[in-house]
Amino acid sequence: MEQVDWVIFGKQIVLKYEMENALRHMAVKGYNQLKPEEWNELNRKLREDK
């Protein structure tokens, strides 16, 4: 049986490779350069789009 690594992120269980892919994508897009206020604005816009 294959072992799959996972992590708890917030209140979700996420596969480790999915988390790594998301973090790489964020780094490429420059999200790790955002200030806390910019993060809050981005999150607000994302919630409104749903």
Side-chain angles (χ1 to χ4, degrees):
M1 184 174 171
E2 181 183 339
Q3 179 180 347
V4 178
D5 292 329
W6 52 273
V7 295
I8 297 176
F9 184 72
K11 295 181 181 182
Q12 290 184 296
I13 295 175
V14 181
L15 296 176
K16 185 178 176 185
Y17 75 88
E18 290 176 337
M19 179 67 100
E20 291 169 344
N21 288 342
L23 291 172
R24 267 194 293 281
H25 176 76
M26 291 171 69
V28 168
K29 294 288 186 178
Y31 290 124
N32 57 346
Q33 305 297 320
L34 295 178
K35 298 176 187 167
E37 303 82 33
E38 294 170 319
W39 267 111
N40 292 337
E41 180 66 19
L42 179 64
N43 286 327
R44 185 186 63 75
K45 287 180 181 178
L46 289 173
R47 275 190 300 266
E48 289 175 354
D49 289 343
K50 289 183 180 180

